[in-house]
Amino acid sequence: MDGTSAFYSKSEEAIEREVIAGGHQTDQSQIDVVYEINCCVEWIKNAGFLRVALQFPDDLMKDAVSVTTRLETLLPTGYTVFILGDTSYGSCCVDEVAAQHYNASALIHYGRSCLSQPVKMPVLFVYGRLPLHIDDCICKFSCLYPDVTSSVIIVYDTVYLYTCDEILNKLQSKYENCVMSTIRGEGTSADTTDGEPGKFKTITKCGRTISLPGDKALSEYSMFYIGGESLTLNNLIYNFQSSQFFSYNPCTKEGRRENVNVNKLLMKRYFMVEKAKDAKIVGILIGTLGVANYSDMLNRLKVLTKKAGKKSYVFIVGKINVPKLANFMEIDVFVLIACAENTLLDSSEFYKPVITPYEMELACNTEREWTGEYPTDFGQLLEGGSHHQSIPDTFHQDETDISLVTGKIRTLGHGDDNIETGQSLVLRSEAMTVATQTESAGEFLKMRSWQGLEQQLGETPVTMAVEGQKGIAMGYSDEPT
């Protein structure tokens, strides 16, 4: 072929127009290839999974019935596949909880993925195949890197995984220092070594594995991303922080340098850290139930905030939006436990800041210092992770600093001898300790005009049940036609 994807019968331009416009149903003749039907059938049959849940993102739900019908046709009698409805959190994460509600023995996740590792059930990832003109991609790469000695690491959105081998083979004939990342054990020719000890070192970030020569550092490489503007791109920029970050958008066929001031982005996030240091009441948001070790991160945040002298509440609200969090105005700051891509939530529209677990660690853990790195995967903060830092048993009583937001003196931990009231400092007593920790939430709830359902047991008169309206909302049976 001439560099175009071989499995599409339509012209590439027509397909790209569909992708940009929101897409249409995949042609029935291409379902088997795009959704790797034969691979799915073999995986189900070999493992003997009798009930398999199929998870589709919103943009692929249009093909869900066709994929399910095709699987049912090829599977023997006794095997059941079914489609999961709307996921409670991000569609890039595996919705193991919904699958368990329907007694699924395994799950197939279709579409792009954040590469978070599930733990509760076997999962097969089918990333899909969006169209990519390989020759055009290589041409744009050559324009962005005219020096053939450039050291470049290629990363990509998961939907372009199928093109990696061909792209790398064509580039390495000219660019000897070009390295292709791999994901979830999906190998490319970049993985192979001659077995010589110490010749290569392996770096894993954002679910991607990179093999580099032992004498070269990650900072010596430029980054080249294949994919459009997305949470994936933002996540990679935060984690790799390369001085040069280029991208190629397969939909628009545009190659460009990402004009991202990483330091400016980090300073915006560091402002959130200052807000977290000032916070007295912290809301811990559960943004995923399908990422490994999320409960360990929850327990760690509870311990951390308690030792820092802050009160914490846990919230499970499903997909997060402004109206949901606006119901909890007594919370000073929210910390979101989610996958690496969804944790960097833009909280500019929210009434209170929404920060990451790492930012909460910077605010509360006196043993942690900011080195300039910015891990978005909370698993790296846990024991055994690359950015783990133990929580001190107690905070030093004399550790105080000045808030960069309010300009007032603040302290951390239960050992504080003083508390802040207005512009002055007064001696903390045992009674006042309780009062200051509960004042914000308690007083706010008392002032609410709506305080929730009250049971009023024994106070409500008993009445006979009566028959209500029948029909549908647009025309009940007792309404005139």
Side-chain angles (χ1 to χ4, degrees), residues 345-474:
L345 186 67
D346 182 8
S347 59
S348 57
E349 296 182 357
F350 291 81
Y351 294 100
K352 296 298 174 65
V354 182
I355 65 174
T356 69
Y358 178 66
E359 290 165 348
M360 199 69 205
E361 288 258 350
L362 290 175
C364 296
N365 192 343
T366 56
E367 298 296 321
R368 182 180 293 278
E369 295 182 0
W370 190 19
T371 61
E373 293 186 273
Y374 210 90
T376 53
D377 180 5
F378 63 76
Q380 299 179 34
L381 308 178
L382 301 174
E383 188 172 355
S386 58
H387 289 77
H388 173 70
Q389 180 65 55
S390 59
I391 301 175
D393 293 333
T394 57
F395 292 98
H396 301 296
Q397 297 185 10
D398 56 349
E399 283 192 359
T400 60
D401 66 345
I402 303 296
S403 169
L404 299 181
V405 178
T406 64
K408 301 176 183 178
I409 297 177
R410 64 189 174 198
T411 55
L412 283 178
H414 293 299
D416 302 342
D417 292 326
N418 300 304
I419 61 170
E420 175 188 320
T421 59
Q423 298 294 331
S424 62
L425 296 175
V426 299
L427 184 66
R428 168 174 287 179
S429 64
E430 194 67 27
M432 189 171 290
T433 300
V434 178
T436 53
Q437 289 183 345
T438 59
E439 178 181 6
S440 178
E443 291 299 320
F444 185 86
L445 291 174
K446 287 181 181 179
M447 292 186 295
R448 273 185 172 177
S449 59
W450 177 83
Q451 299 183 8
L453 181 64
E454 298 180 4
Q455 293 185 353
Q456 297 180 339
L457 297 177
E459 301 178 17
T460 304
V462 178
T463 59
M464 294 293 294
V466 296
E467 185 175 352
Q469 292 178 309
K470 298 180 181 179
I472 59 177
M474 65 180 295

Side-chain angles (χ1 to χ4, degrees), residues 140-161:
K140 296 299 193 300
F141 183 96
S142 300
C143 294
L144 295 172
Y145 296 100
D147 184 2
V148 295
T149 63
S150 299
S151 298
V152 186
I153 296 174
I154 302 177
V155 290
Y156 44 86
D157 200 341
T158 54
V159 294
Y160 302 110
L161 170 66

Side-chain angles (χ1 to χ4, degrees), residues 6 21 52 59 147 169 182 211 235 283 339 346 431 452:
V52 179
D59 56 327
D147 184 2
N169 290 335
T182 60
S211 296
N235 185 40
C339 70
D346 182 8

